C-alpha cells in the first residue's frame, strides 16, 4: 500500500528526479581522528551537499539507504537536507540495510514507518539468540587475530593508520558489542531490540583483509546470515535475502519511483550496495563512486566515476547543471525516459574527469 507516500504515481506529480543513495563512503566523508577524538563528518562537510541540496530545493527527491541505525545518520544526513523537502516527503531514509524506513513528521523529524517491512507482505525477519551469540564469538576471535597479526606485521597497513594504536589492547581483549560509533573495533547488533536482531555489523577490519579474517568464520552460519563489506572498515552480516534491492522493489511497487526518473549512487557495487545495481540497464542507472575501479563489475563500468564522496559531488554537480540546462527532467507522454542510461553515462564521464583533476591536485599538495 503506497497511500502513505507523499508524492503520487502520476507522471505529472513524480519528483523531477529521485536519487537513491548509500551514505557512508558515498555522500558522507569518512570518519577521522583529530586531537585523539574520532570525528564523524556531516553531509555539509563534503562535496555532495551543495549539489544535492540544490537538486532537492528544485523539486527532486533523495532516498538514503544505509546499513547503520538512525543514530548519527539523523545529524549527519537527515537534518542536513532542506526542511520543506523533508516535510513534503521528498526525503526518505532506510536504515539497517533496508529493514527500517523513516519518514518525516509534520516538523521534519524522522519517524519510523511501522507498517513497512522489506519482505513480501511488509514482513521482517530476525536471527535467533543462539545464532547471534555464536556469530559474536566467532567475530571476536577474528578481530583478535587481525590485531595480533597487525601488531606482528605493521606493514599490513600504512604506518600512519590509526588502527596501529589499537593493537596492544585488541589483540588480547574481546571486541565489545556496542552501538557506540566512537568505538572501534566494535560489533553492532542491528534490529529494533536485542530480541529482534536482523544482522550484525563489524567495524575494525579493513575490507582488503575481510576474506582472510571473516569469510571463513561466516561459513558455519551460511544458512543464517549473509556477509558483505560496507565502507572502509566495516562488514554487514544480515538475514538471508535482506538487501538494498528490496528498497528499490518497495519503492517501485508502491509507486514512489518511476524508472527513467531515478538513479542509484553508491561506493560498494561489489559489496553491500550490489542490490542498488539491479535496474542499471532497466530505467535506473547505477553510478559507482567506488575508489578502486578493479572492484567495479564490468557491466557497471560505463557509469563509474570513482572518488567516493568527491565523486558523488562531481556527479551531482553534472546532474544539476544538466537538469537546469534542460529545464528539468520531466516525464511526458513523448519522453518516458528523461534520465536515460546514455544521459547518465555522459554525466559520469564528465564527473570522472573532475575526480581525476581533483586527485592530481591533491597529489601535488602531498
Amino acid at each position: 500500500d503506497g497511500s502513505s507516500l507523499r508524492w503520487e504515481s502520476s507522471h505529472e506529480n513524480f519528483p523531477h528526479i529521485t536519487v537513491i543513495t548509500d551514505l557512508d563512503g558515498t555522500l558522507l566523508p569518512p570518519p577521522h581522528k583529530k586531537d585523539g577524538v574520532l570525528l564523524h563528518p556531516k553531509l555539509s562537510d563534503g562535496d555532495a551537499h551543495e549539489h544535492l541540496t540544490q537538486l532537492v530545493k528544485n523539486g527532486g527527491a533523495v532516498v538514503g539507504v544505509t546499513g547503520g541505525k538512525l543514530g548519527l545518520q539523523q545529524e549527519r544526513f537527515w537534518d542536513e537536507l532542506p526542511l520543506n523537502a523533508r516535510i513534503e516527503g521528498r526525503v526518505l531514509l532506510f536504515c539497517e540495510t533496508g529493514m527500517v524506513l523513516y519518514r518525516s513528521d509534520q516538523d521534519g523529524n524522522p519517524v519510523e514507518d511501522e507498517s513497512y517491512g522489506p519482505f513480501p507482505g511488509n514482513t521482517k525477519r530476525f536471527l535467533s539468540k543462539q545464532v547471534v551469540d555464536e556469530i559474536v564469538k566467532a567475530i571476536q576471535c577474528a578481530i583478535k587475530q587481525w590485531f595480533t597479526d597487525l601488531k606482528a606485521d605493521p606493514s599490513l597497513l600504512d604506518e600512519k593508520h590509526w588502527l596501529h594504536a589499537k593493537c596492544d589492547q585488541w589483540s588480547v581483549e574481546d571486541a565489545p558489542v556496542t552501538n557506540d560509533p566512537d568505538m572501534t573495533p566494535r560489533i553492532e547488533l542491528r534490529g529494533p531490540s536485542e530480541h529482534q536482531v536482523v544482522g550484525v555489523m563489524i567495524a575494525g577490519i579493513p575490507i582488503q583483509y575481510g576474506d582472510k579474517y571473516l569469510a571463513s568464520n561466516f561459513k558455519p552460519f551460511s544458512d543464517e546470515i549473509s556477509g558483505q563489506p560496507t565502507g572502509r572498515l566495516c562488514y554487514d552480516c544480515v538475514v538471508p535475502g535482506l538487501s538494498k534491492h528490496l528498497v528499490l522493489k518497495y519503492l517501485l511497487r508502491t509507486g514512489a519511483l518511476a524508472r527513467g526518473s531515478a538513479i542509484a549512487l553508491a561506493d560498494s557495487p561489489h559489496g553491500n550496495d550490489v542490490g542498488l545495481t539491479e535496474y542499471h540497464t532497466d530505467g535506473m542507472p547505477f553510478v559507482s563512486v567506488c575508489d578502486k575501479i578493479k572492484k567495479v563489475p564490468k557491466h557497471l563500468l560505463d557509469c563509474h566515476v570513482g572518488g567516493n564522496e568527491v565523486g558523488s559531488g562531481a556527479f551531482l554537480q553534472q546532474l544539476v547543471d544538466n537538469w537546469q540546462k534542460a529545464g528539468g527532467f520531466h516525464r511526458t507522454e513523448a519522453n518516458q525516459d528523461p534520465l536515460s542510461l546514455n544521459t547518465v553515462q555522459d554525466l559520469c564521464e564528465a564527473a570522472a574527469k573532475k575526480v581525476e583533476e581533483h586527485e592530481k591536485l591533491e597529489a601535488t599538495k602531498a
Side-chain angles (χ1 to χ4, degrees), residues 245-293:
H245 86 275
L246 295 176
V247 169
L248 300 184
K249 289 182 178 295
Y250 172 79
L251 294 172
L252 288 168
R253 185 174 71 248
T254 55
L257 282 184
R259 300 188 198 192
S261 296
I263 62 103
L265 178 67
D267 72 317
S268 188
H270 59 293
N272 74 325
D273 295 322
V274 65
L276 297 180
T277 72
E278 185 168 348
Y279 300 105
H280 177 62
T281 58
D282 192 19
M284 200 179 304
F286 176 89
V287 177
S288 162
V289 294
C290 181
D291 61 347
K292 291 182 172 59
I293 193 169

Side-chain angles (χ1 to χ4, degrees), residues 4 6 12 26 79 85-86 98 113 170 189 214 237 245 264 267 297 311-312 314 338 361 365:
S4 60
R6 306 282 180 80
E12 295 79 10
T26 300
D79 292 345
R86 286 182 269 144
D113 180 350
W170 300 113
L189 301 185
L214 293 173
C237 304
H245 86 275
D267 72 317
S312 294
L361 180 62
K365 291 180 181 179

Side-chain angles (χ1 to χ4, degrees), residues 177-330:
V177 178
T178 177
N179 293 326
D180 182 357
D182 292 330
M183 176 64 74
T184 301
R186 70 183 182 278
I187 301 167
E188 287 187 16
L189 301 185
R190 299 278 173 81
S193 74
E194 62 178 328
H195 304 295
Q196 293 181 312
V197 176
V198 301
V200 180
M201 194 282 290
I202 307 153
I205 299 180
I207 59 173
Q208 65 265 38
Y209 296 112
D211 286 345
K212 178 177 180 179
Y213 292 94
L214 293 173
S216 61
N217 287 281
F218 293 158
K219 287 181 180 178
F221 311 106
S222 59
D223 292 335
E224 303 286 347
I225 61 168
S226 174
Q228 294 177 321
T230 170
R232 298 169 176 86
L233 296 171
C234 301
Y235 286 79
D236 261 344
C237 304
V238 296
V239 293
L242 182 60
S243 166
K244 293 181 180 181
H245 86 275
L246 295 176
V247 169
L248 300 184
K249 289 182 178 295
Y250 172 79
L251 294 172
L252 288 168
R253 185 174 71 248
T254 55
L257 282 184
R259 300 188 198 192
S261 296
I263 62 103
L265 178 67
D267 72 317
S268 188
H270 59 293
N272 74 325
D273 295 322
V274 65
L276 297 180
T277 72
E278 185 168 348
Y279 300 105
H280 177 62
T281 58
D282 192 19
M284 200 179 304
F286 176 89
V287 177
S288 162
V289 294
C290 181
D291 61 347
K292 291 182 172 59
I293 193 169
K294 65 181 181 180
K295 293 184 178 180
V296 182
K298 290 183 179 180
H299 70 286
L300 300 174
L301 288 174
D302 58 339
C303 288
H304 174 68
V305 174
N308 292 105
E309 69 280 356
V310 174
S312 294
F315 172 77
L316 290 169
Q317 180 179 11
Q318 295 296 321
L319 180 64
V320 170
D321 289 349
N322 188 290
W323 185 4
Q324 291 176 333
K325 290 176 184 177
F329 294 121
H330 297 280

Side-chain angles (χ1 to χ4, degrees), residues 79-138:
D79 292 345
E80 295 277 275
L81 293 167
L83 177 62
N84 71 308
R86 286 182 269 144
I87 293 175
E88 291 171 5
R90 289 186 289 109
V91 178
L92 300 178
L93 178 57
F94 290 83
C95 292
E96 300 174 41
T97 316
M99 186 65 81
V100 182
L101 166 60
Y102 291 93
R103 304 180 188 276
S104 176
D105 64 13
Q106 61 184 5
D107 298 316
N109 299 311
V111 176
E112 182 179 349
D113 180 350
E114 296 186 0
S115 69
Y116 163 79
F119 295 103
N122 289 334
T123 58
K124 294 180 170 67
R125 298 174 186 170
F126 304 106
L127 298 170
S128 71
K129 187 179 185 307
Q130 178 182 348
V131 168
V132 172
D133 290 344
E134 291 175 354
I135 291 172
V136 167
K137 288 181 181 178

Side-chain angles (χ1 to χ4, degrees), residues 11-90:
H11 295 331
E12 295 79 10
N13 293 327
F14 268 115
H16 297 165
I17 182 173
T18 300
V19 175
I20 305 98
T21 178
D22 173 53
L23 300 186
D24 288 288
T26 300
L27 292 185
L28 302 177
H32 61 274
K33 279 200 169 185
K34 183 177 181 181
D35 299 327
V37 178
L38 184 62
L39 303 177
H40 299 271
K42 300 178 182 179
L43 179 62
S44 56
D45 295 319
D47 293 64
H49 179 255
E50 176 186 353
H51 310 296
L52 188 63
T53 298
Q54 191 174 5
L55 186 147
V56 172
K57 282 184 175 179
N58 284 278
V62 58
V63 178
V65 190
T66 179
K69 293 177 178 288
L70 178 62
L72 278 177
Q73 307 299 21
Q74 177 174 352
E75 179 183 358
R76 299 178 70 202
F77 169 74
W78 183 276
D79 292 345
E80 295 277 275
L81 293 167
L83 177 62
N84 71 308
R86 286 182 269 144
I87 293 175
E88 291 171 5
R90 289 186 289 109

